């Protein structure tokens, strides 16, 4: 059996009772460690091992993308638990695991948990008025994609809120390392709300002639470490968010659409 086990967002204890039972009896346990991290662990999985009382193998990006079949091989004659921060279907990577398992006639079971896609409601915005979720990537000097901006504008035109997931870089090779074929990795990086706001302001400046729906004065919401004891929520203008520090990762950014009076009242708490 292949088990996909959601871990929740904040702490090692956020795993469900059902999920914990699976982890403790499985023959092999892997932690998917590149789409997200548990806020309390800061990328260190040793606290998971202590809590579970067993070894947890880290499945980084290379393992998930190039060695998925090896993990599935172990699920042919034993139980494999793949641990996922948030909910197992918060990323398409895990859908691919299920499809591969089905192709090989390997049974699978999913243990769901909280993800940022529903926990974002803690800021007071109603979940059913969110539109398409977008991802904002880190820009470089030569690579500045902005296709996410079109989706934000489309949401705003339809009076929908937009959840912006912010880029993380874990076990990424530098361009130099890729060119030279070296196994050298950059330090982990996690986009913060101020960086995301700065990039959005740059896109607005570039597109000022074609749109006026999103401006530097629009209200936005920054969220940090949702689900943890140090959770932080800040509501301010996009311009002010570009110089706001809400602490350690993980961060996400919400761009509200049309607000209901109750939503306005809730957001006022975080101004």
């Amino acid at each position: 059996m292949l088990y996909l086990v959601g871990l929740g967002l904040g702490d090692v204890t956020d795993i469900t009772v059902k999920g914990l039972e699976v982890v403790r009896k499985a023959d092999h346990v892997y932690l998917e460690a590149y789409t997200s991290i548990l806020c309390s662990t800061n990328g260190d999985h040793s606290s998971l091992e202590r809590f579970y009382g067993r070894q947890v193998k880290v499945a980084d990006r290379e393992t998930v993308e190039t060695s998925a079949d090896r993990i599935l091989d172990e699920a042919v004659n034993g139980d494999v638990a793949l641990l996922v921060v948030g909910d197992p279907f918060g990323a398409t990577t895990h859908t691919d695991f299920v499809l591969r398992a089905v192709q090989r006639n390997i049974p699978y079971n999913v243990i769901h948990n909280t993800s940022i896609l529903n926990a974002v409601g803690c800021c007071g915005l109603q979940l059913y008025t969110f539109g398409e979720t977008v991802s904002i990537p880190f820009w470089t000097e030569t690579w500045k994609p902005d296709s996410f901006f079109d989706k934000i504008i489309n949401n705003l035109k339809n009076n929908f809120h937009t959840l912006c997931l912010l880029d993380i870089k874990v076990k990424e090779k530098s361009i130099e390392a890729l060119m030279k074929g070296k196994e050298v990795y950059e330090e982990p990086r996690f986009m913060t709300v101020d960086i995301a706001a700065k990039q959005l302001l740059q896109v607005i400046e570039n597109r000022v002639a074609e749109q006026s729906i999103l401006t530097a004065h629009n209200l936005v919401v920054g969220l940090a470490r949702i689900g943890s004891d140090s959770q932080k929520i800040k509501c301010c203008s996009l311009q002010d968010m570009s110089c706001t520090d809400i602490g350690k990762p993980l961060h996400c950014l919400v761009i509200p659409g049309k607000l209901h009076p109750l939503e306005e009242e809730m957001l006022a708490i975080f101004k």
Side-chain angles (χ1 to χ4, degrees), residues 92-260:
T92 54
T93 299
H94 315 121
T95 304
D96 182 62
F97 257 98
V98 169
L99 292 173
R100 288 170 180 249
V102 170
Q103 289 170 0
R104 296 180 56 175
N105 294 317
I106 298 170
Y108 72 92
N109 198 338
V110 180
I111 315 297
H112 292 285
N113 209 320
T114 304
S115 80
I116 191 60
L117 297 175
N118 62 344
V120 68
C122 67
C123 72
L125 297 176
Q126 296 163 0
L127 292 178
Y128 57 81
T129 51
F130 275 79
E132 184 175 359
T133 298
V134 307
S135 296
I136 300 181
F138 274 115
W139 281 356
T140 68
E141 287 298 318
T142 57
W143 188 70
K144 297 184 178 181
D146 62 1
S147 58
F148 58 86
F149 191 81
D150 297 315
K151 296 177 181 178
I152 294 172
I153 297 302
N154 190 55
N155 282 341
L156 289 173
K157 287 179 178 178
N158 288 291
N159 298 322
F160 293 152
H161 312 314
T162 305
L163 170 61
C164 303
L165 304 178
L166 308 187
D167 202 4
I168 70 172
K169 298 290 187 184
V170 178
K171 202 174 181 182
E172 294 274 343
K173 292 182 180 179
S174 66
I175 295 177
E176 181 183 2
L178 287 169
M179 292 177 65
K180 295 183 178 180
K182 294 182 177 180
E183 293 298 313
V184 179
Y185 300 94
E186 297 180 329
E187 286 293 313
R189 290 188 298 149
F190 304 91
M191 184 181 286
T192 50
V193 291
D194 57 312
I195 295 174
K198 287 184 177 74
Q199 291 188 184
L200 278 167
L201 288 170
Q202 184 61 61
V203 180
I204 290 171
E205 184 178 332
N206 294 342
R207 297 195 181 194
V208 67
E210 63 183 79
Q211 72 88 33
S212 59
I213 296 176
L214 183 60
T215 73
H217 304 294
N218 275 65
L219 198 67
V220 297
V221 186
L223 302 95
R225 304 172 302 283
I226 298 304
S228 73
D229 293 337
S230 64
Q231 173 176 303
K232 178 75 173 178
I233 303 173
K234 174 69 174 179
C235 181
C236 62
S237 70
L238 181 60
Q239 184 66 59
D240 287 344
M241 191 64 74
S242 68
C243 52
T244 293
D245 180 3
I246 55 175
K248 296 179 180 179
L250 294 173
H251 290 192
C252 64
L253 185 71
V254 176
I255 301 173
K258 185 178 181 181
L259 294 174
H260 184 277

